[in-house]
């Protein structure tokens, strides 16, 4: 995992010199195993910060692929990644291995759904939130509280953002703060309301600092919910109490992990696209599917993803059988297009 010790130490000398970390802290950072869930604006800031800090193992989880509109704020990606339509997990790992070939990067092109969440956070010490929607965060909260795994919540949209450390058994969880996700349709998203890249930079980097503090273990993690409104330069903090009646950390009922079947088709963060999950994970031969679909429309495949252009829509199929249906007007239409082109699920 690590090269010559001298080389590794030299690489991180500027943060080892910082008294909060020191040589012992750096050793713990090198041994740490961290999962980053979501590799959009927040997630790329987080993965970049953790990789450069020398976290020894990084699991990079994302379901989406790189598009041109990502480049304004998702700092690990390039125009070439967007042209190639690379999955974000793969593109992020390719960029970070160029930064540090001595750490272990484990890209997972996957949805963080209720059926996969527990597997995706297995064997890590800490999870950092780079997701773009509350529904996934409630699944993440359930999975981490159930596994007694600390995670760092972070979110950003427009010019504002918020973050909180969640340490199961010690402090409040996400459902102590917010018992249920608000109704989704009314919430602003990055696509509908926009987002400035400094806010994802600030929130993502605070998440990195909190992750390092948890790993090094000498400083107490921050116990407050921190909210930032950047256009008005407003930073505020409030204490969040643990709720003994909390269904998740109080009663240990993990309702969001159990809500699998109704979310087979989800709308993607305000985009004109839906994700369709197969009933069970498949292992698709994309080259074969490419041949089969050649009469249906313009089709091309890489080892990660098949892209089919048909009737002005773009349908993308991943190896695990998951698809992103661009240009669909409703869940039903997305599901019927999936069934028509990619199988009977
Ligand atoms: Zn709770």
């Amino acid at each position: 995992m690590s090269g010559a010790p001298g080389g590794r130490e030299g690489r991180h000398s500027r943060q080892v010199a910082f008294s909060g970390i020191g040589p012992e802290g750096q050793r713990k950072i090198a041994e740490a195993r961290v999962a980053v869930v979501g590799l959009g604006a927040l997630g790329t800031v987080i993965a970049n910060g953790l990789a450069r800090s020398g976290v020894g193992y990084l699991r990079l989880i994302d379901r989406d692929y790189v598009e041109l509109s990502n480049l304004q704020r998702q700092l690990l990606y390039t125009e070439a990644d967007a042209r190639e339509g690379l999955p974000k997990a793969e593109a992020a790992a390719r960029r970070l291995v160029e930064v540090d070939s001595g750490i272990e990067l484990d890209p997972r092109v996957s949805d963080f759904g209720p059926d996969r969440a527990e597997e995706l956070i297995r064997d890590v010490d800490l999870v950092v939130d780079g997701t773009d929607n509350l529904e996934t965060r409630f699944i993440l909260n359930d999975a981490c509280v159930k596994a007694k795994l600390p995670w760092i919540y972070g979110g950003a949209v427009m010019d504002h953002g918020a973050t909180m450390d969640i340490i199961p058994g010690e402090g409040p969880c996400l459902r102590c703060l917010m018992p249920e996700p608000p109704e989704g349709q009314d919430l602003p998203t990055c696509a509908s309301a926009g987002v400035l890249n400094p806010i994802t930079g600030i929130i993502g980097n605070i998440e990195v600092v909190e992750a390092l503090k948890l790993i090094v273990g000498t400083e107490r993690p921050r116990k407050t919910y921190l909210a930032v409104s950047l256009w008005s330069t407003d930073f505020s903090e409030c204490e969040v109490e643990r709720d003994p009646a909390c269904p998740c950390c109080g009663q240990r009922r993990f309702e969001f992990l159990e809500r699998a079947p109704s979310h087979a088709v989800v709308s993607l963060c305000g985009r004109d696209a839906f994700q369709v999950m197969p009933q069970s994970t498949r292992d698709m031969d994309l080259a074969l599917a490419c041949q089969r679909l050649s009469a249906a429309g313009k089709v091309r495949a890489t080892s990660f993803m098949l892209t089919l252009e048909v009737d002005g829509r773009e349908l993308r199929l991943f190896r695990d059988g998951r698809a992103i249906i661009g240009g669909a007007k409703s869940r039903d239409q997305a599901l019927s297009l999936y069934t028509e082109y990619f199988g009977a699920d």
Side-chain angles (χ1 to χ4, degrees):
M1 191 170 75
S2 57
R8 301 296 295 167
E9 271 169 36
R11 176 186 291 262
H12 300 107
S13 59
R14 301 305 187 271
Q15 76 184 31
V16 172
F18 171 64
S19 62
I21 292 186
E24 179 60 14
Q26 190 61 42
R27 189 187 59 73
K28 290 180 182 169
I29 291 169
E31 286 173 359
R33 298 173 61 85
V34 179
V36 182
V37 182
L39 295 164
L42 282 173
T44 50
V45 168
I46 295 161
N48 181 62
L50 294 175
R52 287 176 194 270
S53 299
V55 169
Y57 170 93
L58 271 181
R59 189 172 298 159
L60 303 168
I61 305 162
D62 194 281
R63 64 187 177 187
D64 214 346
Y65 53 88
V66 181
E67 293 180 296
L68 214 50
S69 66
N70 302 149
L71 304 186
Q72 167 248 5
R73 65 201 178 284
Q74 303 187 12
L75 55 76
L76 293 175
Y77 310 131
T78 64
E79 290 181 358
D81 297 334
R83 264 198 307 277
E84 220 183 310
L86 271 186
K88 290 180 180 178
E90 194 60 39
R94 286 188 189 184
R95 196 71 57 244
L96 291 173
V97 78
E98 292 173 351
V99 173
D100 189 346
S101 57
I103 59 173
E104 188 179 348
L105 297 160
D106 181 5
R108 305 283 181 99
V109 183
S110 175
D111 184 48
F112 196 84
D115 53 332
R116 299 183 187 180
E118 290 177 85
E119 171 61 29
L120 286 168
I121 61 163
R122 192 157 293 158
D123 300 326
V124 298
D125 310 313
L126 173 68
V127 182
V128 190
D129 174 14
T131 66
D132 60 6
N133 67 89
L134 272 171
E135 193 177 330
T136 307
R137 292 191 185 101
F138 277 81
I139 295 169
L140 179 55
N141 187 61
D142 268 8
C144 286
V145 171
K146 189 175 178 185
K148 300 186 171 70
L149 202 58
W151 73 282
I152 298 165
Y153 159 79
V157 68
M158 302 193 292
D159 68 318
H160 51 253
T163 177
M164 183 169 94
D165 298 353
I166 294 174
I167 321 283
E170 284 185 30
C173 81
L174 182 64
R175 293 194 76 182
C176 296
L177 174 72
M178 193 188 318
E180 299 286 336
E183 286 304 315
Q185 300 308 320
D186 304 313
L187 288 177
T189 68
C190 295
S192 65
V195 61
L196 300 183
N197 71 40
I199 190 64
T200 47
I202 285 173
I203 296 295
N205 278 310
I206 292 172
E207 292 185 77
V208 171
V209 171
E210 293 304 308
L212 294 178
K213 280 159 64 178
L214 282 169
I215 292 165
V216 172
T218 49
E219 184 82 19
R220 278 205 64 74
R222 208 189 58 251
K223 292 178 78 176
T224 58
Y225 176 88
L226 173 69
V228 180
S229 288
L230 215 47
W231 209 248
S232 53
T233 328
D234 181 48
F235 287 68
S236 60
E237 285 181 277
C238 64
E239 295 272 348
V240 181
E241 294 294 326
R242 191 168 174 194
D243 176 5
C246 170
C248 180
C249 71
Q251 302 173 32
R252 297 192 68 76
R253 285 191 285 116
F254 304 109
E255 297 165 344
F256 292 88
L257 285 180
E258 286 150 20
R259 282 186 192 176
S262 64
H263 292 80
V265 184
V266 293
S267 168
L268 289 182
C269 190
R271 276 169 46 187
D272 189 18
F274 290 83
Q275 172 179 267
V276 181
M277 301 292 294
Q279 298 284 15
S280 55
T281 302
R282 299 156 79 179
D283 186 16
M284 309 275 305
D285 182 334
L286 295 180
L288 204 66
C290 195
Q291 280 177 16
R292 184 171 58 77
L293 290 164
S294 58
K298 198 172 152 200
V299 63
R300 61 186 188 278
T302 65
S303 55
F304 309 107
M305 184 172 74
L306 175 150
T307 306
L308 170 67
E309 290 174 48
V310 60
D311 297 334
R313 297 191 185 90
E314 211 162 50
L315 284 60
R316 297 179 189 249
L317 176 70
F318 297 87
R319 275 200 306 241
D320 59 2
R322 189 170 54 87
I324 294 178
I325 311 290
K329 295 283 172 256
S330 66
R331 288 172 183 236
D332 287 348
Q333 190 184 38
L335 193 58
S336 79
L337 285 164
Y338 181 92
T339 308
E340 181 176 356
Y341 293 108
F342 299 146
D345 271 302

